[in-house]
């Protein structure tokens, strides 16, 4: 699995324009199941690792410790306040839209 992780991170480094679409797709698949939150946190981990400074820089921007970030990346399900802080630290914003249909 490590090779796939490295591949995704490298793709995001080379094409940072992919980040919003990847995050949007992951968020659209989000529901109350734990596996989905783990998937979201894995996506956020990939994005974090693709950015200059990685986890250390995100920790600096959010005020969270590296250890707490790694714990969230592994176990998922952060509070909404923490998730918004992480997303802001990565330079993206959470957007809410009405569901049609």
């Amino acid at each position: 699995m490590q090779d796939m992780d490295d591949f995704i991170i490298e793709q995001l480094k080379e094409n940072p324009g992919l980040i919003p679409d990847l995050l949007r797709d992951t968020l659209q698949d989000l529901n109350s199941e734990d596996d989905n939150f783990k998937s979201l946190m894995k996506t956020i981990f990939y994005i974090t690792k693709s950015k200059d400074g990685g986890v250390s820089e995100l920790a600096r921007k959010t005020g969270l410790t590296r250890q707490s970030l790694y714990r969230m990346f592994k176990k998922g399900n952060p509070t909404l306040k923490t998730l918004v802080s992480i997303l802001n630290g990565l330079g993206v914003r959470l957007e809410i839209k009405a569901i049609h249909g």
Side-chain angles (χ1 to χ4, degrees):
M1 185 64 173
Q2 186 64 31
D3 291 336
M4 181 56 80
D5 292 348
D6 292 339
F7 174 77
I8 294 169
I9 293 164
E10 193 58 38
Q11 290 299 305
L12 294 173
K13 282 182 184 179
E14 292 174 9
N15 305 294
L18 297 173
I19 291 172
D21 290 334
L22 175 62
L23 195 52
R24 189 177 309 109
D25 290 347
T26 304
L27 283 168
Q28 286 177 345
D29 291 340
L30 192 63
N31 61 39
S32 63
E33 295 177 23
D34 285 342
D35 287 347
N36 292 106
F37 281 95
K38 287 178 184 176
S39 176
L40 173 62
M41 293 312 294
K42 190 168 202 168
T43 297
I44 291 173
F45 174 72
Y46 292 151
I47 294 167
T48 301
K49 294 294 277 184
S50 76
K51 300 249 181 197
D52 289 338
V55 176
S56 295
E57 181 63 12
L58 183 60
R60 186 189 69 73
K61 287 181 177 180
T62 61
L64 299 166
T65 66
R66 290 176 71 245
Q67 293 81 6
S68 66
L69 285 169
Y70 276 112
R71 207 170 18 260
M72 275 186 274
F73 293 143
K74 185 173 184 172
K75 296 187 180 194
N77 207 9
T79 65
L80 181 58
K81 180 179 178 180
T82 301
L83 178 60
V84 169
S85 177
I86 290 169
L87 293 174
N88 288 339
L90 293 172
V92 294
R93 183 181 322 182
L94 184 62
E95 185 177 293
I96 306 297
K97 289 178 140 184
I99 299 173
H100 299 286

